[in-house]
């Protein structure tokens, strides 16, 4: 069962709901996500508890409840109900239930003050009426919470304090307590709504409608949620792309920033993939749908962010346990303050009762409990906005403590696509000359029927150069050694330098050229005539570094984080690339070798692993934090704790900087919450502060902790470094 719960103002509300539902027969697996206001639970089919009982319990606790499936369907289809939800979310504070309560209590308080001035004899009674009217809703909720297993709620503490003050004749101050508490509740509600704005912003990216094309080319508008796989849709200039899919017709620039955070528009054409929510800038596109609305990129991002915000960070779990003991301890202290001074020191009962009631208000742990989840929610939201998809508060905390980052090479530090870097014609010794073009055309001809990545790179390079590729006949391969074909009646072969040295005649100068290229980390293929054994030329390829790889590693080094490159490639290639990056390296590693190295490094340090392939999944799972490049395989992304949607190396440093900023924010919040309460505990016992100050100390601390957490939304990221390229 899934529900949308409205009215949760702080993380302690989660505990109240979970405690109440856990006591109901047949109800298990209760999970409440404060950030998304989502409730999930399992109800046994044969349980005496019914769905209506669950809903009644939530309502009695003072929260609104809506079936989550109905709400989500309305959101997907863009129905009027969803429009109403948006309107509700945009209500001004005075239009909400809590806002109306504050306004009503304010008017009641003002009337009471006026009457007390005009008719002093009746002032106490008027304030008493104001207190009883204002405290009723809180007392009712406190009673329900107590019966549901949460006797130490803030509502209970406030009710006892207000009624206690009324009993000892402090009616005016009791009224101030009720009013200030209501204002604090309203401020918490406004702050909580701000914290949830990130999820609403993500949800708003999803397109609501689509232009569906039928077999005859006709067009009609349909809800985007109704699109099925293989449907054809039209995306006009200025439209949002209505579904994840592939372009079947047209070319256009697309703004992918809503999905990946990449600010520069990307030109896409036939065969390129597009994402739902991207903005089509200039050309009309026809797109074949590949994923339904519930499975597209935006839906997956929202789901992962919701799951991340539902998972509690280690610090949050510790503080929740701490607060369970903290509140009863402070309540016991308040009782001792009320009893001991009058009995032992002969103090006035009224005075010490008043101070004990003030301590009750300070006992509320709202600010403390909220200190971590508020900061984590902001950190996750700003990460998602920057294309850093972090799967939980635990991962967000651990990342900031990482001091070693292990990078896979292919597809992570490099582009993952081999490119031709050198073409050498042995017949005339010239590179990229007339002879070089002829040799390249022959290379492409022999490789034209192969689907090997190196072959594809050679053929693509020849086409880009505008060369005419001769027709090849009798193409065949010698597994792991060479490819053969007949071109212009010549029997040609392309093989590795080792194979070519055995089958062809290579001069010392040619061998030296090959070795020089290999020492630069390049893969060399040699073309030769099989009959004459004459070497005709060579092509060198290399999987080039990403543009930001050097910058990303330099940023990590500046932050005191060690970087290590782990690769299955040969040592020459690894050494050549590592020298450009100024990075440690380990080469010729099998997947199990990576696991062994990570396990060894984990003994002495917190380590993150960055990868993108299926073979990286075990290593990503083994590391303290697994980070997947967004352009990688689904297996790697699902296994990892973090996905970098922009596939940028510099985002690893941004991720660590964000985590460190979040941890710092959490520490500030905890120190502030405990410090403020500690100060007012002392001043209250000494009689320097009273009830209404105690209320401000509690609600004010909660609001300020939330506002401090919201500062993370302005996170600027790690400072970029300007590094000179290595020669």
């Amino acid at each position: 069962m899934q529900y949308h719960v409205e009215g949760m103002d702080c993380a302690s509300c989660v505990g109240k709901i979970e405690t109440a539902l856990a006591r109901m027969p047949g109800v298990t697996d209760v999970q409440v996500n404060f950030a998304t206001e989502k409730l999930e639970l399992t109800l046994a089919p044969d349980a005496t508890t019914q769905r209506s009982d669950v809903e009644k319990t939530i309502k009695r606790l003072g929260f609104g409840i809506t079936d989550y499936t109905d709400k989500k369907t309305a959101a997907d289809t863009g129905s009027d109900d969803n429009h109403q939800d948006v309107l509700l979310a945009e209500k001004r504070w005075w239009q909400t239930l809590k806002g109306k309560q504050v306004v009503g209590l304010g008017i009641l308080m003002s009337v009471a003050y006026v009457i007390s001035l005009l008719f002093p004899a009746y002032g106490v009674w008027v304030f008493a009426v104001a207190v009883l009217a204002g405290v009723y809703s809180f007392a009712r909720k406190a009673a329900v919470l107590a019966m549901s297993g949460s006797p130490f709620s803030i509502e209970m503490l406030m009710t006892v304090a207000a009624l206690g003050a009324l009993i000892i004749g402090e009616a005016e101050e009791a009224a101030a307590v009720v009013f200030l508490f209501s204002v604090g509740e309203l401020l918490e509600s406004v702050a909580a709504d701000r914290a949830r704005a990130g999820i609403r912003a993500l949800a708003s990216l999803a397109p609501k409608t689509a232009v569906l094309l039928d077999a005859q080319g006709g067009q009609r508008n349909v809800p985007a949620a109704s699109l099925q796989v293989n449907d054809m849709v039209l995306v006009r200039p200025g439209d949002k792309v209505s579904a994840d899919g592939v372009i079947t017709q047209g070319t256009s620039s697309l703004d992918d920033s809503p999905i990946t955070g990449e600010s520069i528009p990307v030109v896409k054409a036939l065969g390129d993939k597009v994402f739902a929510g991207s903005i089509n800038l200039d050309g009309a596109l026809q797109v074949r749908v590949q994923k339904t609305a519930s499975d597209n990129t935006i839906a997956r991002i929202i789901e992962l962010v919701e799951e991340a915000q539902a998972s509690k960070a280690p610090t949050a779990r510790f503080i929740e346990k701490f607060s369970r003991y903290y509140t009863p301890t402070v309540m016991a202290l308040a009782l001792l303050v009320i009893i001991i001074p009058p009995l032992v020191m002969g103090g006035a009962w009224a005075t010490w009762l008043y101070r004990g009631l003030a301590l009750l208000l300070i006992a509320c742990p709202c600010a403390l409990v909220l200190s971590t989840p508020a900061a984590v929610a902001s950190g996750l939201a700003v990460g998602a906005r920057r294309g850093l998809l972090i799967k939980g508060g635990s991962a967000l905390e651990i990342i900031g403590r990482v001091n070693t980052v292990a990078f896979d090479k292919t597809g992570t530090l490099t582009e993952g696509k081999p490119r031709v870097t050198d073409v050498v014609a042995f017949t005339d010794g010239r590179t990229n000359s007339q002879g070089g073009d002829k040799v390249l055309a022959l290379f492409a001809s022999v490789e034209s029927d192969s689907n090997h990545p190196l072959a594809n790179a050679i053929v693509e390079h020849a086409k880009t150069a505008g060369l005419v590729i001769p027709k090849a006949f009798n193409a065949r391969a010698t597994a792991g050694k060479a490819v053969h074909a007949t071109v212009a009646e010549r029997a040609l072969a392309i093989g590795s330098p080792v194979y070519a040295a055995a089958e062809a005649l290579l001069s010392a100068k040619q061998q030296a050229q090959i070795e020089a290229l290999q020492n630069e980390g390049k893969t060399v293929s040699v073309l030769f005539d099989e009959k004459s054994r004459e070497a005709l030329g060579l092509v060198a390829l290399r999987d080039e570094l990403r543009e930001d790889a050097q910058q990303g590693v330099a940023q990590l080094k500046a932050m005191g984080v060690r970087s290590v490159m782990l690769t299955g490639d040969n040592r020459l290639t690894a050494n050549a690339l590592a020298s450009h990056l100024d990075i440690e390296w380990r080469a010729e590693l099998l997947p199990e070798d990576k696991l062994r190295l990570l396990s060894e490094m984990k003994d002495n340090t917190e380590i993150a692993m960055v990868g993108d392939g299926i073979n990286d999944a075990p290593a990503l799972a083994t590391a303290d934090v697994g980070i997947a490049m967004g352009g990688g395989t689904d297996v790697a992304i699902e296994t990892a704790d973090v996905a970098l949607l922009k596939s940028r190396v510099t985002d690893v440093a941004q991720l660590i900087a964000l985590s460190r900023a979040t941890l710092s924010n959490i520490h500030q919040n905890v120190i502030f919450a405990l410090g403020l309460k500690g100060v007012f505990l002392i001043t209250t016992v000494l009689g320097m502060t009273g009830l209404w100050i105690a209320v401000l100390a509690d609600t004010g601390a909660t609001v300020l902790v939330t506002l401090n957490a919201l500062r993370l939304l302005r996170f600027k990221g790690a400072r970029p470094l300007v590094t000179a390229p290595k020669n």
Side-chain angles (χ1 to χ4, degrees), residues 121-146:
Y122 298 100
V124 173
W125 298 105
V126 176
F127 278 115
V129 171
V131 170
L132 294 174
V135 85
Y136 172 75
S137 60
F138 299 120
R140 183 171 174 273
K141 186 175 181 180
V144 173
L145 287 169

Side-chain angles (χ1 to χ4, degrees), residues 422-673:
D422 303 86
V423 179
V424 177
F426 287 152
T427 52
D428 58 15
R430 289 177 290 175
T431 302
N432 291 328
S433 62
Q434 181 76 27
D437 288 344
K438 182 178 179 181
V439 165
L440 178 60
L442 291 175
F443 261 100
S445 177
V446 176
E447 297 278 23
S448 58
D449 289 333
S450 173
N451 198 34
H452 191 279
L454 296 181
N456 292 337
I458 291 172
V459 173
E460 184 64 29
H461 188 71
K463 289 180 178 178
T464 303
L467 302 181
V468 176
I469 300 175
K471 180 71 175 176
F473 300 92
N474 304 320
R476 67 189 191 283
T478 301
K481 294 182 178 180
V483 290
H484 315 263
T486 301
V487 182
E489 300 183 353
R490 297 176 69 183
L492 303 179
I494 297 173
S496 68
V498 173
Y499 182 81
E503 301 293 329
L505 302 173
L506 291 175
S507 67
K509 181 180 178 181
Q510 291 167 348
Q511 290 276 19
Q513 284 179 298
I514 291 171
E515 289 178 9
L517 291 169
Q518 287 180 321
N519 287 333
E520 294 175 10
K522 298 174 181 176
T523 300
V524 178
S525 296
V526 180
L527 173 70
F528 61 92
D529 188 309
E530 291 189 285
K531 286 187 177 180
S532 66
R533 299 184 67 195
E534 177 189 6
L536 304 178
L538 64 81
V539 166
L541 305 95
R542 185 166 66 185
D543 183 9
E544 296 292 349
L545 291 170
R546 291 182 183 271
E547 291 182 4
D548 68 329
Q550 191 175 9
Q551 176 83 353
V553 172
Q555 284 182 337
L556 290 172
K557 187 175 183 180
M559 297 169 70
V561 179
R562 168 193 175 208
S563 297
V564 182
M565 181 176 73
L566 307 179
T567 178
D569 215 333
N570 65 75
R571 301 176 68 84
L572 286 175
T573 300
N575 184 50
L577 292 177
S579 64
H580 284 282
L581 294 174
D582 189 21
I583 189 176
E584 298 178 40
W585 58 275
R586 306 284 188 278
E588 300 174 2
L589 301 175
L590 297 173
E592 53 266 31
D593 296 325
K594 292 182 182 179
L595 291 181
R596 176 179 51 79
L597 282 172
L598 286 174
S599 298
E600 291 173 1
M601 287 188 281
K602 277 179 66 177
D603 292 338
N604 305 312
T605 181
E606 297 272 1
I607 188 165
M609 175 70 195
V610 188
D612 80 318
I614 291 176
N615 64 326
D616 295 324
L620 293 174
T622 299
D624 295 300
V625 179
I627 303 172
M629 287 291 188
T633 63
D634 287 344
V635 174
I637 292 173
E638 293 298 333
T639 305
D641 302 295
V642 182
L644 307 180
L645 298 183
K646 298 180 188 177
S647 296
R648 296 194 312 201
V649 180
T650 50
D651 277 348
V652 178
Q654 299 295 327
L655 185 64
I656 293 175
L658 173 60
S659 175
R660 290 179 178 179
T662 304
L663 287 171
S664 176
N665 194 283
I666 290 171
H667 296 154
Q668 292 167 8
N669 284 348
V670 171
I671 291 170
F672 183 79

Side-chain angles (χ1 to χ4, degrees), residues 345-389:
M345 298 181 293
W349 281 100
T351 299
W352 290 101
L353 177 60
Y354 178 86
R355 295 179 185 180
L357 292 174
L359 278 181
L360 284 180
L361 294 175
I362 296 173
C364 176
C366 273
L368 183 63
V369 172
L370 188 61
S371 58
T372 298
V376 168
S378 292
L380 294 173
V382 76
R385 198 169 62 202
R386 289 169 170 265
L388 313 176
L389 202 54

